[in-house]
Amino acid sequence: MQDSEFILEMNHISKSFPGVKALDDVTFKVRRGVVHALMGENGAGKSTLMKCAFGLYHPNEGEIRFDGQPIRLVDTRDALNYGIAMIHQELQPIRTRSTMENVWVGRIPYRKMMGIHWVDDQKLYSDTKKLLDELEININPRTKAGSLSASHCQLLEIARAVSYDAKVIIMDEPTSSLTEVEAELLFKIIKKLTDKGVAIIYISHKIDEILKIAQDVTIMRDGKIVGTWPAEELNTDVIVKRMVGREMSNRFPPKKHIPGEVCLEIKNFSSANEHSFQDVNLLLHKSEILGIGGLVGAQRTELVESIFGLRPIKSGKLILNGKETCIRKPKDAISNNIALVTEDRRLSGIISKFSVMENIILANQTANPKTYMKGLFLDDKKRKADAEKYVEALSIKTPSIRTLIQYLSGGNQQKTVISRWMLTDPEILILDEPTRGIDVGAKYEIYCLMEQMAMEGKAIIMISSEMPELLGMSDRIAVMCEGRLSGVLDSKTATDEKVMFLASSYEYAMEE
Amino acid sequence: MENSKKYSLRFVLENYALYIIMALMIIIIGMMSPKFFSLRVLRDILMQSSTRIIVAMGCMFILVSGSADLSGGRTVGLAAVVAGSLAQKADYYIKFWPSLPEMPVIVPLIAAILIGLLVGLANGFSVAKLKVPSFLATLGWMMVAYGANCLYSNKPPNNSQPLGGFLKSFTDLGTASFLSVPYIIYIAIGVCIVVHLLLTKTCLGREIFAAGSNSEAARVSGINVFKIQMITFAIAGVCYGLAGCLEAARTGSATSTYGNGYEMDAIASCIVGGCSLTGGVGNVFGVFFGVLIFNVINYGLTFIGLSSYWQYVVKGLIIIFAVSIDMRKYRRND
Amino acid sequence: MENSKKYSLRFVLENYALYIIMALMIIIIGMMSPKFFSLRVLRDILMQSSTRIIVAMGCMFILVSGSADLSGGRTVGLAAVVAGSLAQKADYYIKFWPSLPEMPVIVPLIAAILIGLLVGLANGFSVAKLKVPSFLATLGWMMVAYGANCLYSNKPPNNSQPLGGFLKSFTDLGTASFLSVPYIIYIAIGVCIVVHLLLTKTCLGREIFAAGSNSEAARVSGINVFKIQMITFAIAGVCYGLAGCLEAARTGSATSTYGNGYEMDAIASCIVGGCSLTGGVGNVFGVFFGVLIFNVINYGLTFIGLSSYWQYVVKGLIIIFAVSIDMRKYRRND
Amino acid sequence: ETPTAGVIWYNFADTFIQNARQTLLNVAKADGTVEIVDADSQNDIATQTNNINNFYTRGIDYLVLNNINTAAISEIVQKAKEEGVVTIFANTDSPSDEDFANYDGLYLVSSRAPQSGTIMGEAAVKYWKEHPEADRNGNGKMDYIMLLGLTWHYDTQVRAEYSIKAVEDAGIATNQIGGEVVAEYNRGQAQEKVAALLANFSDDIDIIFACNDDMALGAIEALKAGGFFKDEASFLPVCGVDATVVGCDALRDGTLLVTSLNNPVTLGKAIYKTMYLLENGKEVTTETLNMKGATVEGHRIWLDYTAITKENVDEAAYDITDTTF
Ligand SMILES: Nc1ncnc2c1ncn2[C@@H]1O[C@H](COP(=O)(O)OP(=O)(O)OP(=O)(O)O)[C@@H](O)[C@H]1O
Ligand SMILES: Nc1ncnc2c1ncn2[C@@H]1O[C@H](COP(=O)(O)OP(=O)(O)OP(=O)(O)O)[C@@H](O)[C@H]1O
Ligand SMILES: OC[C@H]1O[C@@H](O)[C@H](O)[C@@H](O)[C@H]1O
Ligand SMILES: [Mg+2]
Ligand SMILES: [Mg+2]
């Protein structure tokens, strides 16, 4: 009884939070068996809308129809029962439990004996194995979720959403912590699902992806719908214009900086963790943006975190401006004017119970308390001024700088963490996947700030899994593979293929 | 070779630190007084641990589910008094319920368990539905349970006297043996096995772990966190009730002060045994061992005749020392 | 209009639930016994709250920093006994240190604070360096502090008897008034102000919050989490020491049981006042009020002559009721 | 306006206190001359201090104080004098002669706590003399375990001290096993501690003194599990204090050697009668008080402990609902 061409309809949905009207009379309809992209700037209300569709939030007004019937979602169980599944943007896995339990949590296979549901561990394992194999995800079902890398966690989430056999799967920025290789994997999965008639609601800031896989595209701005179009009628520029509300001719600012002398050198760097990076040698120059590419598990994160003193090294030297320097803890790095935006903003980035302001000034205040003090006490005026400067510079969307960061949209949280480190005015800024979850407009602003820093003689290391970003922003690209540095490319001559080639083999001589 | 051997020794030391420390303690005490190496001592320690093990098992559920429970001790006390009041001989001269006949031992047992269940449900409802932080909810119901116990005990003709005159069938629960092992030890071990199976082999157990580790993730996965919390608190309550009944049987008496402080001992044992106050971790063997180590310390220090005052000091230092060694296992990789 | 008014009434009810409940309680007690509306009652309650407030302030530091502290009560006790033993009149018949002269009041005060500091540093080191879970570390040091206290108190000629015979200058600390407000109330309020400024207006304070909310993020941001933990435990210890000294001065006596249970009261007050066991939140006003609400309940129920058994029951129910109403404010937006 | 007495007990959870309290309430209710409000110090001096304060604030005519702040007696008396409230110290360490001289409205109604210790000691001496085999290890010393209640508690201190004093006064050498064994007046704790001590010192222990019956009974349970009390030969003397119902059961069973009764009914009634007499403008003397086992010395009303053994166990019965005085 398919009396409607839409599997999911959301009509005139409004939702308010203290200080924000996150959704304002939003009407959003999803056809069966298509990939429907939902786009918009950070804080436009995409996640909020989807949380309403999944029963996590209850709209203040409006109606939701599923399969043509009006439905009421009291909680997520109702959504799951109707056949709506969701990959969450900000969700952590159940860290203390195995991958397989994470996938099937709430629906663990059992055998009934004496009226008790005994876990069928074999089936749990084999079902998971089958699912993961089918999706070509390479994770051992018995691995504890807590020890998975961010990208593996994301893949785990994907597997879980798929396992529900849902009619609609909401994917809220599923590729934000995936490399392109893994993203391809997801697209294959999506293809299989849509072939089976499953509708996918796909939220992403990666326009190329959208154009590649989506049939319908809805764009939101400031809690309202801008419109819905067939994907073939759109191109990058149109999408950007409709999202941002103005033309954006360039994706990257023009490169004006010229790399100078060496400011950081690491020699024979080996991690104390024997499974991690070994024997890495790298140079960084002033006024340079050094990209680091590689596949998931290449140990890029471990490398930069070791430079920053977050993880111990077994051997190796770190030479800073010609002087051998010992960095044992982040404080040492910071006092040497090094900054690091970590990969996982929830785990090691945001202080969720702090306001936006306090999150922005945290590192600088710790390093230079005097800056913010008047007499014995902190001076709110100075703190406010600095915070406001960056809220403006990165257009962080927040009701006020006193709003707790946990109430910000994912992308805006990311921007806050980036401002924290830019504010410390570092000589060397290390960015680990800096634009994860950030919209095109804001990305451009961040790129401009990076360019400006480089112009001022600062050096930047940027880990990125987004090829255009890596190629577009870097002066040189170091590529890692399985804990080794497999090569360094000059970005003028680098191509996708060259990077990918190095990323899959480290026995490659240095070019330069 | 050299290296791997060193590694493995260190590995053993770190991973089995608590067991090694306990073994050392036993050896030291035994050297001071060889009588310590006797079956009798073993039986004493196990017996003294038994009700505490049951309380700790209840407490573990709560910790695994991500809450804390302060009501354990007073629930034990209330259950002990209620069980005791139903287990008296017909001709006992200050019978709590003069008009009641002698009843089979199952009656006080069930009554105690029901009392525990009731407190557990009250806790669970306050935490899961009313969203009162578990620390306060269980503190509140602990006070209510204690007040109720005092009021009950004070009922004439008892007038707050310790309850006594229990039927032999009842005290046997706590003192008689089968194959020279006291029943109460079988019961405690039985509880451990049931809890182990429940937590690791059933869907419910897995859901408790999931909800305790990350309740948000559990909730969006469709787990009924309310139900899980109600059930965990209910199970814990049942454990406390059972322990209370056994405590009365074991000591042959019951007063309103019974069980005082057991909740803290239980939480401490659980944490020593690997549970975390943030939820989602815990295993029966660890907790069993956690209780045991506390009781070996208590028993051992009294055994060698150390004054109670010094016992406090020594016990505190042993705990900190042992746990700090134990914690090194989590630091190996950084 | 209609709607917004309804919203705002509900808003007030939810956001000020605790204050409203306390006001209601005061009104009800006052209706039962109008003498309750008197300055003397107010002064009594504030006085009885004062040492509790200081302990709770110390405890708040620990909770904000993401730990728990069970050592508060026993540290208060140890500090009280040590302070008392140094504050006796020269001619008191069982003088603890017969050969010591009379000393100015600053001596016992400093001694008490140092004792508190010492326990605090021991706690801090065990948690921050040895990585012992705070629950166990502070439990361990609590036992050590209590054992030390028993041993100290038991020293002849005192033999565990309550210490007395304090100098007037010492007892004045706890009983004398300035402008008919007892010193001890000024001290407590002074501590609150200092703690408030420290927590909200200094870098240290903000770093404590950051470390308590997300210690990993704090570490990455260059905060020395070890140092922060040491400092928080040290500050808490100082509060306990001060409170112990004042407790001795206020009651004119000290024994090894002083402070017993204060840590739980303090934690409970903190949580009622908005702190969380998971760290990173808390404010002085809330905690101040949390202590007050417990003391109003205690005082009020005694004042109307409710038997202490019923008090337990009623107190437990009030806490659960009040907090469950209070919690509604967090549920407004799903 | 009926005069009000504010009564502060050290711990409602204490059986003895509970019964004295109940008696006092019952008698007052039946008589009506003085109205009672009471409060629980919960074993905590600070709470007691609060309670006293609260009663003054509330307005009372009599203060009945089961005092645990034995170090601050003079201060408490001074304050009572300033408040003009007639104060009766109940079942506690006595104020000094100076205190009585200082304030005319001061009274004491109390058992002589040392008696309970002496009764244990004397029973032990009697047993020791009648049973040569009581020196189980033959070292010529009475090897004893002393189970302490709450360490700092006045009763515990004097019971421990005077029981041993009575033994040593009889010329018997003693030896303490296990140091200070603190079992907090608690049966379970006593049982566990004695079990551990028995496992090591089973052949040495000659006798167990317990500062209350609950701990004595815990000790007896441990002894039973350790093979004692199977027959005459495996008897081991255990002494208690309080003559609780379960304690008397143990006397009848022949497991407990002796206990002593501090009659809570007598205490409750004596407190009430003192106030009654004062209300009626009478002096309090042994004659006007007219209660069995009560003697008046000045403003001190002393109540005797009664030694209870198997022979006179029926004397331990009391009735808290009896409101005659
Ligand atoms: N729980 C909440 N409480 C208060 N405000 C909220 C809450 N959740 C979302 N908001 C606000 O609602 C707005 C929309 O947020 P939402 O997360 O839906 O954005 P988004 O479009 O998903 O952005 P992003 O691309 O950054 O993920 C934001 O301004 C955000 O601050
Ligand atoms: N075997 C492992 N056990 C536990 N954690 C791991 C393991 N491998 C990687 N991780 C964690 O996962 C995160 C990312 O890992 P890694 O450094 O290997 O990847 P990367 O190349 O930096 O990937 P990304 O592009 O996502 O930054 C790091 O925080 C690392 O600690
Ligand atoms: O007065 C306090 C003490 O009194 C005793 O009579 C009683 O046995 C003990 O349990 C203890 O409570
Ligand atoms: Mg979002
Ligand atoms: Mg002998």
Side-chain angles (χ1 to χ4, degrees), chain A residues 17 22 42-48 57 89 173 205 407-411:
Chain A
F17 296 110
N42 295 131
K46 306 178 294 293
S47 299
T48 304
Y57 285 161
Q89 184 184 11
E173 301 197 24
H205 292 291
Y407 297 129
L408 260 53
S409 77

Side-chain angles (χ1 to χ4, degrees), chain A residues 147 149 295-302 311 343 432-433 465:
Chain A
S147 56
S149 64
L295 300 176
V296 167
Q299 311 298 333
R300 296 169 296 175
T301 297
E302 296 241 4
R311 296 165 185 272
E343 175 185 31
D432 194 349
E433 306 285 3
S465 298

Side-chain angles (χ1 to χ4, degrees), chain C residues 95-115:
Chain C
K95 196 151 185 290
F96 199 91
W97 298 109
S99 53
L100 280 185
E102 277 181 13
M103 287 175 300
V105 63
I106 192 80
V107 175
L109 186 63
I110 297 272
I113 288 176
L114 285 179
I115 288 283

Side-chain angles (χ1 to χ4, degrees), chain D residues 10 14 16-17 91 153 155 159 185 211-213 241-242 305:
Chain D
Y10 99 97
D14 184 307
F16 169 79
I17 293 301
N91 209 48
H153 198 239
D155 282 358
R159 283 171 193 172
Y185 288 131
C211 291
N212 80 346
D213 280 354
V241 179
D242 279 353
Y305 269 95

Side-chain angles (χ1 to χ4, degrees), chain B residues 33 35 92 251 253 303 308, chain D residues 18 180 182 187 200 249 318:
Chain B
S33 163
K35 283 184 201 158
Y92 190 64
T251 58
S253 179
F303 180 86
S308 292
Chain D
Q18 188 47 232
E180 286 93 358
V182 178
R187 181 165 175 157
N200 199 8
D249 289 347
Y318 51 82

Side-chain angles (χ1 to χ4, degrees), chain B residues 99-122:
Chain B
S99 52
L100 281 184
E102 272 179 18
M103 286 175 300
V105 63
I106 192 80
V107 175
L109 186 62
I110 298 270
I113 288 176
L114 285 179
I115 288 285
L117 183 64
L118 203 71
V119 179
L121 291 174

Side-chain angles (χ1 to χ4, degrees), chain D residues 167-219:
Chain D
V167 174
E168 289 182 340
D169 284 352
I172 300 166
T174 59
N175 173 43
Q176 183 171 22
I177 292 178
E180 286 93 358
V181 184
V182 178
E184 298 179 346
Y185 288 131
N186 179 304
R187 181 165 175 157
Q189 280 194 39
Q191 186 171 343
E192 292 179 359
K193 303 231 152 158
V194 172
L197 287 166
L198 271 182
N200 199 8
F201 305 109
S202 184
D203 302 331
D204 292 318
I205 298 165
D206 297 328
I207 187 165
I208 296 177
F209 295 106
C211 291
N212 80 346
D213 280 354
D214 276 351
M215 294 192 292
L217 294 172

